[in-house]
Structures are given as structure tokens and as C-alpha cells.
Amino acid sequence: MIDVTQQIESVNRQVGTRVLEDGRAHVVGVSRVYDVPLEDLWDACSNPERIPLWFLPVTGELRTGGRYQLEGNAGGTVLRCEPPVGFSATWEYGEELSWIEVRMTREDGSARFVLEHTAHIEDERWTEYGPGAVGVGWDLMLVGLTVHLSTGAAVDPREAMLWSASDEGRRFVTASSDAWYRANVAGGADPRAARASADRTTAFYTGADDPGGSAG
């Protein structure tokens, strides 16, 4: 489906914190440059007829103040929409509320995609899984966007699911989790604790047993 090593290495990952009105929140960010015009990147990420070609079917009103819902996933309210440079929205999944911000910029004839996901996460849960809990999911999302932008074709959901369960898919998840471990350490996390968190995240996504009983 993709070159795993190239995809992992093409994405920049950042882990940090942000102080909001109701307390400190964790921030997980991904960015990647695509060899497409800025307007094409914007259309791929904002056109409700095109989003399902690489991500998930979406319903609602994709405008400031509008509500949206991704099929089988999160929904929320669009807080800001500024074509073609970005948007922000709440990210509501079950009872959990967090926020996403997408920014796009021109870069040497190409376009850079930046996504930041901000969430209040209990210390115990963050310690258990770290940034990879959501970061691996965003990495998988970028796989779909990469395939679509590079080929112009739709990503077949069935093929994507088969790939995710394949040896190559598990290798991708393992590499993604390890990349989030490095980003976590670069963000100031204790290396030993970050390694244990990443191992638990890898086990969760690949369906493996918890490594070494480290989840305790």
C-alpha cells in the first residue's frame, strides 16, 4: 500500500502541553509536506465529497459554527474555517471532548499539512499509553491522505483494513509507535516510562499481548 519507512520518516511528530482555561492539556501534532498545490490539499481535507475517498464518510455542515459527524468516529463543531489555510473544531468521541486544529501553508511549490490534537488526559491514562494512543491513529489517517494525494484514487476501506491487519500494517504501527516514543522523549518525557507506554500502545494496536506485563 505504501513504503512504510518513507511514510514514517516523512512525518514530523511533536508532543507538548498547553494551558487552557480549565487546566493543562496534552498536545499531539503531526505535519508533512505534500507535492500538491495548497488548494488541492485544502479541497482534499474540506470537501465532504472528497474526504470519504481517503478518510471516513462525513455529514453535517463544514463551515464555522456547523456540526459534523465522521461515520463511526468523532463529531463536533467547526470553530473556525479559513479557506485555504486551515480550520479548527471540537473532537467529540463518546463523552470525551478534545480539539483539533489543521493548518496548511505553501512551501516551495508544495503544501504543508499540520494537525494538532489537544486533549485533557488523566495522568494515569497518559502514563499508560502516552501520545501514541492518538498519534498512531493520526499516522494511519495520513497514510490514506498520502495514497489519495499521490494517486488521485480513492482508498478502498476493505483493502485498508486488510493492510492494517497484515504484516506490513503491523510493521507500520510498530514503527509509528516507536516514532511517538522518540517524540515523547524529545518533549521531555522520561525515556524508560515513555518506552513502556509505547510498548503498550504497540501491543494494543497490533493485538499482541502486553509486553512483559508492563501495563501494571
Side-chain angles (χ1 to χ4, degrees):
M1 188 173 181
I2 59 163
D3 183 318
V4 169
T5 300
Q6 183 182 42
Q7 179 70 14
I8 292 295
E9 292 180 351
S10 68
V11 177
N12 178 267
R13 300 165 185 82
Q14 292 187 320
V15 178
T17 59
R18 181 174 296 160
V19 178
L20 305 179
E21 290 183 0
D22 49 353
R24 186 174 68 99
H26 292 280
V27 182
V28 171
V30 292
S31 69
R32 176 181 168 151
V33 174
Y34 288 101
D35 189 22
V36 298
L38 174 63
E39 290 76 13
D40 188 41
L41 178 61
W42 169 260
D43 187 67
C45 296
S46 63
N47 186 335
E49 295 183 358
R50 196 169 171 190
I51 293 171
L53 300 181
W54 60 271
F55 192 25
L56 293 167
V58 60
T59 55
E61 298 180 281
L62 303 187
R63 58 173 180 78
T64 302
R67 293 283 300 179
Y68 74 93
Q69 179 63 53
L70 291 162
E71 186 176 291
N73 204 295
T77 300
V78 178
L79 303 175
R80 177 181 58 83
C81 184
E82 299 178 8
V85 297
F87 62 86
S88 61
T90 62
W91 186 263
E92 303 168 27
Y93 189 83
E95 300 298 319
E96 297 184 350
L97 169 66
S98 55
W99 302 265
I100 60 169
E101 180 180 2
V102 172
R103 300 189 300 275
M104 303 175 198
T105 55
R106 300 184 199 276
E107 190 162 310
D108 297 328
S110 301
R112 178 175 291 276
F113 172 94
V114 179
L115 181 145
E116 290 184 346
H117 191 166
T118 302
H120 293 292
I121 302 175
E122 295 178 357
D123 290 343
E124 182 178 349
R125 183 177 173 189
W126 181 264
T127 299
E128 185 173 9
Y129 291 109
V134 295
V136 171
W138 288 121
D139 265 331
L140 288 167
M141 178 273 294
L142 287 179
V143 170
L145 182 59
T146 299
V147 171
H148 175 62
L149 289 175
S150 61
T151 66
V155 177
D156 188 323
R158 291 170 297 180
E159 290 185 6
M161 287 185 64
L162 288 173
W163 177 81
S164 296
S166 69
D167 288 343
E168 185 179 59
R170 287 191 290 271
R171 184 164 69 89
F172 176 84
V173 165
T174 300
S176 168
S177 183
D178 192 58
W180 283 108
Y181 155 74
R182 296 192 297 272
N184 199 15
V185 172
D190 173 74
R192 184 174 179 180
R195 180 74 270 168
S197 298
D199 288 346
R200 284 189 285 267
T201 294
T202 301
F204 173 81
Y205 273 97
T206 60
D209 291 333
D210 182 46
S214 58

